[in-house]
Amino acid sequence: MTDMTQRNRTGDSENETAQAVTTRKTTRRGGGDPGTRGRTTIADGVVEKIAGLAAREVVGVHAMGSGLARTFGAVRDRVPGGAKAVTRGVKAEVGEVQAALDLEIVVDYGVAISDVARAVRENVVASVERMTGLEVVEVNIAVSDVKLPEEEEEEETGTRVQ
């Protein structure tokens, strides 16, 4: 009988150990989904780049920024190794869950400014919210200029090297 009792105890002991190992493997530490642990912050510049690219996608938007900013940007674009300023004409204020944007645009002559502004707002809001998860509370648009067809021809001929 003694042999039987020791075997049962040994068998029970092994089962208990196996159950304890199984329990330890399934127990999570830290609680909750690993994807929700920690905090993500998004810089203003990231939101400005997304908004700038989204605004430029809209038909009728000729350029971004004021005349002075575009002039400096054109000089910077011509410098070898200089990158095109995607954030030109965009200012973002980013909080923990919300963002507000101010855009300065130049529209092409002949387009309905209200339609272009509406399309820019829709595209910017959709892009920023989809990519960042932030709620866009406002997109303020200032139209600083209208690009005339004659101005494009003058710019093209004026920038040629002779």
Side-chain angles (χ1 to χ4, degrees), residues 9 14 46 120:
R9 284 187 185 159
E14 288 174 8
V46 172
V120 167

Side-chain angles (χ1 to χ4, degrees), residues 7 12 17 24 31 37 47 60 63-65 78 81-82 86-87 91 97 110 136 140 144:
R7 270 192 259 156
D12 289 343
T17 306
R24 273 188 245 135
R37 296 180 197 171
V47 175
M64 301 285 294
R78 288 192 180 104
V86 180
T87 60
K91 177 69 178 134
V97 294
V136 178
N140 300 313
S144 61

